Amino acid sequence: MSEAIDLLRRRVADLHQELVRYGLVVWTAGNVSARVPGEDLLVIKPSGVSYDELTPQNMILCDLDGNVVEGEHLPSSDTAAHAYVYRHRPDVGGVVHTHSTYASAWAARGEPVPCVLTAMADEFGAEIPIGPFALIGDDSIGRGIVETLAGHRSPAVLMKSHGVFTIGKDAEAAVKAAVMCEDVARTVHVSRQLGEPLPIAQDDIDRLNFRYQNVYGQRPAAQ
Ligand SMILES: [Zn+2]
């Protein structure tokens, strides 16, 4: 067990550097967490520690109520939201939160990013939806994420006037969704400066999403 947790600590610490690499975070904002497979535990970033100082050792191990099980720092102030998602979505193995610029600009408008690019149809399969305005401190952010993404293909939600939360089968998938979310939020914003982006027919969105999610990519080698 402790070996699996050590691996996850390293993975989560490394994935935080991807948020920096793709320009999704400033100062200490943003966080990545991962569920410990088969356990009611999660690994998350410590609160208020700079990205340069994140190590596998200072990642925080919490239970799914957000209580610290192991760690010298306080966990991220968004831990309750991550824990709520893991409690209510057993299919989710990773959660990411950022205030990335373009996606948060859409969140500030309370406006979903429309699905007007094939890359969006691939990764999100729909618009990127808006979740409710919610204050930190109780379950309302977590509940807003879970309720907005229920029955939605998108792994990303823009919490109104706040920023991005993404989910994935593991932490890497959630980080990828956060990177792609910012990328398409930027491109659709630029497109809107040129005029109104053209819609993609729902049938085509469905086909693109199915192919990307089920066919695209490297196949396991034949036995
Ligand atoms: Zn935030």
Side-chain angles (χ1 to χ4, degrees):
M1 191 63 238
S2 70
E3 200 175 323
I5 291 171
D6 286 348
L7 278 172
L8 216 50
R9 285 175 174 281
R10 175 164 299 282
R11 192 84 201 102
V12 171
D14 287 350
L15 283 167
H16 279 93
Q17 299 312 320
E18 297 294 291
L19 303 187
V20 176
R21 186 153 78 100
Y22 287 100
L24 305 186
V25 291
V26 298
W27 202 240
T28 62
N31 37 71
V32 177
S33 73
R35 185 198 294 274
V36 180
E39 301 290 326
D40 287 338
L41 296 169
L42 64 91
V43 172
I44 193 165
K45 175 172 168 277
S47 180
V49 176
S50 84
Y51 279 84
D52 285 346
E53 292 169 3
L54 295 180
T55 63
Q57 293 72 34
N58 63 23
M59 294 297 113
I60 312 294
L61 184 68
C62 291
D63 66 22
L64 294 193
D65 291 314
N67 303 307
V68 175
V69 173
E70 203 176 279
E72 285 171 16
H73 297 79
L74 289 172
S76 160
S77 51
D78 294 304
T79 300
H82 290 243
Y84 187 97
V85 173
Y86 291 121
R87 289 202 305 279
H88 292 83
R89 288 287 302 262
D91 57 314
V92 169
V95 177
V96 171
H97 174 48
T98 80
H99 301 156
S100 65
T101 305
Y102 284 88
S104 297
W106 288 86
R109 292 241 335 119
E111 186 177 355
V113 183
C115 186
V116 292
L117 297 164
T118 58
M120 266 192 89
D122 288 346
E123 176 71 23
F124 300 94
E127 68 177 19
I128 300 175
I130 294 288
F133 179 79
L135 292 178
I136 205 160
D138 58 20
D139 275 347
S140 51
I141 293 180
R143 194 175 331 114
I145 298 165
V146 168
E147 288 178 3
T148 307
L149 293 182
H152 207 293
R153 280 178 186 158
S154 172
V157 51
L158 307 178
M159 294 300 282
K160 191 185 283 178
S161 310
H162 182 178
V164 180
F165 279 87
T166 62
I167 58 175
K169 67 178 184 348
D170 53 28
E172 186 167 25
V175 169
K176 181 189 175 199
V179 172
M180 301 303 284
C181 177
E182 178 63 5
D183 186 54
V184 299
R186 182 177 56 182
T187 307
V188 178
H189 166 76
V190 171
S191 175
R192 287 228 302 203
Q193 310 315 300
L194 302 170
E196 197 53 35
L198 304 175
I200 299 177
Q202 187 61 48
D203 273 4
D204 290 329
I205 292 174
D206 293 347
R207 270 197 288 271
L208 284 161
N209 187 252
F210 180 84
R211 176 185 164 277
Y212 187 77
Q213 302 294 335
N214 297 287
V215 183
Y216 175 78
Q218 299 293 320
R219 240 43 58 66
Q223 297 296 311

